[in-house]
């Protein structure tokens, strides 16, 4: 932490006080850093960069799942639509996915499966577009959504005019 706040000799300063000042004397933020173990005296294994060191520390020591724990991902999009006949509609699309304590996390499934499905579609010649292609074309997103549904990843769509 001393390196991240440009202090070379952590013994010469009160690290907690220095960080507290840098946080604009915000006790909530300071408490969060303490709970993450970022102000402790514990030595951490240095990795390639400060970011690599932080991520490794958080993954291995602080934020790792305990036995039986799982993650939860909740996504919600509200989309305003104005149709060609001037009618207005709001669609709310909601996805709730729980991780499997003995398998993949929800985040891994929700990021990995769509990418894997798109890769499979490319290999099978089902995507004929070139370059960076956003999944905004029905021939891309419809098969992906269908296969996600087969993998028990579902979302709810609610509409109101």
């Amino acid at each position: 932490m001393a390196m991240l706040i440009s202090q070379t000799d952590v013994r010469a300063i009160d690290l907690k006080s220095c960080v507290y000042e840098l946080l604009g004397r915000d006790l909530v933020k300071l408490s969060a850093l303490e709970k993450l173990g970022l102000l402790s005296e514990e030595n951490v294994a240095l990795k390639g960069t400060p970011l690599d060191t932080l991520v490794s520390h958080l993954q291995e020591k602080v934020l790792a799942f305990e036995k039986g724990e799982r993650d939860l991902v909740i996504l919600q999009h509200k989309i305003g639509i104005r149709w060609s006949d001037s009618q207005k509609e709001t669609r709310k699309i909601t996805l709730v996915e729980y991780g499997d304590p003995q398998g993949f996390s929800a985040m891994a499934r929700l990021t990995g499966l769509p990418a894997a499905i798109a890769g499979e579609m490319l290999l099978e010649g089902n995507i004929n577009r070139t370059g960076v292609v956003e999944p905004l074309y029905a021939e891309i997103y419809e098969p992906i959504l269908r296969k996600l549904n087969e993998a028990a990843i579902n979302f709810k769509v609610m509409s109101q005019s």
Side-chain angles (χ1 to χ4, degrees):
M1 179 61 88
M3 184 181 1
L4 294 176
I5 62 171
S6 302
Q7 300 294 329
T8 55
D9 185 3
V10 76
R11 292 176 302 252
I13 63 165
D14 178 359
L15 180 61
K16 188 174 174 179
S17 295
C18 186
V19 170
Y20 179 62
E21 292 297 324
L22 286 170
L23 294 173
R25 297 176 172 251
D26 186 324
L27 286 173
V28 172
K29 290 178 183 176
L30 185 68
S31 175
L33 291 177
E34 288 179 313
K35 287 177 183 174
L36 291 172
L38 299 179
L39 299 178
S40 77
E41 305 250 346
E42 177 188 349
N43 289 330
V44 296
L46 293 177
K47 304 296 180 182
T49 67
L51 180 59
D52 293 336
T53 301
L54 174 64
V55 168
S56 176
H57 172 71
L58 292 176
Q59 283 180 333
E60 295 170 11
K61 304 273 181 166
V62 182
L63 300 177
F65 291 128
E66 297 290 331
K67 185 176 175 92
E69 284 187 325
R70 61 185 179 166
D71 67 331
L72 165 66
V73 174
I74 301 173
L75 299 173
Q76 186 173 81
H77 296 279
K78 287 186 179 180
I79 301 169
I81 303 168
R82 182 181 305 218
W83 296 102
S84 58
D85 64 358
S86 297
Q87 293 290 319
K88 292 181 181 178
E89 178 185 357
T90 300
R91 289 191 185 167
K92 183 167 70 172
I93 304 161
T94 305
L95 172 81
V96 177
E97 179 74 13
Y98 289 91
D100 179 355
Q102 280 73 46
F104 292 109
S105 69
M107 185 61 76
R109 285 176 43 87
L110 293 175
T111 56
L113 280 175
I117 293 166
E120 183 179 64
M121 289 172 64
L122 278 168
L123 291 172
E124 293 174 351
N126 296 326
I127 297 177
N128 298 315
R129 297 178 182 275
T130 59
V132 177
V133 179
E134 295 177 312
L136 301 176
Y137 303 96
E139 69 267 18
I140 296 174
Y141 69 76
E142 285 177 349
I144 292 174
L145 292 175
R146 187 174 55 255
K147 288 186 178 188
L148 289 173
N149 187 280
E150 291 168 8
I153 295 176
N154 305 298
F155 56 90
K156 294 180 184 174
V157 178
M158 297 175 63
S159 179
Q160 78 185 83
S161 299

